[in-house]
Amino acid sequence: MELIEAELFTDPGNDAVVRLPPRRFLGVLIQGDSLSIIRGDVAEIVEACPQGDVNDAHEAATILCRSADSPGS
């Protein structure tokens, strides 16, 4: 493991916008528990699609999209 300094562009929380050296572009850090929730939301969509359950897939995708639009909430 290597200890490095990163530039933080947001307030610390469950997610953060950072720039790691020597990268030019910013990146997003997502805590593991938050990533697990996102993965679960995607799994709901994947399960609904083969069953032809468009309404459930749409609802799960809408929730996922809203959470991406307002990170940290």
Side-chain angles (χ1 to χ4, degrees), residues 7 23 56:
E7 292 178 82
R23 303 297 300 203
D56 279 354

Side-chain angles (χ1 to χ4, degrees), residues 4-69:
I4 62 169
E5 288 189 29
E7 292 178 82
L8 180 62
F9 290 84
T10 57
D11 293 330
N14 284 334
D15 46 34
V17 176
V18 297
R19 181 172 28 227
L20 299 175
R23 303 297 300 203
R24 181 172 152 213
F25 293 103
L26 303 177
V28 177
L29 173 102
I30 302 173
Q31 293 298 118
D33 57 337
S34 299
L35 187 57
S36 177
I37 292 168
I38 293 169
R39 194 249 175 244
D41 292 342
V42 171
E44 283 184 46
I45 298 167
V46 169
E47 290 171 14
C49 287
Q51 298 171 9
D53 198 341
V54 176
N55 290 332
D56 279 354
H58 182 263
E59 183 179 340
T62 300
I63 291 168
L64 183 60
C65 190
R66 280 190 194 132
S67 67
D69 287 343

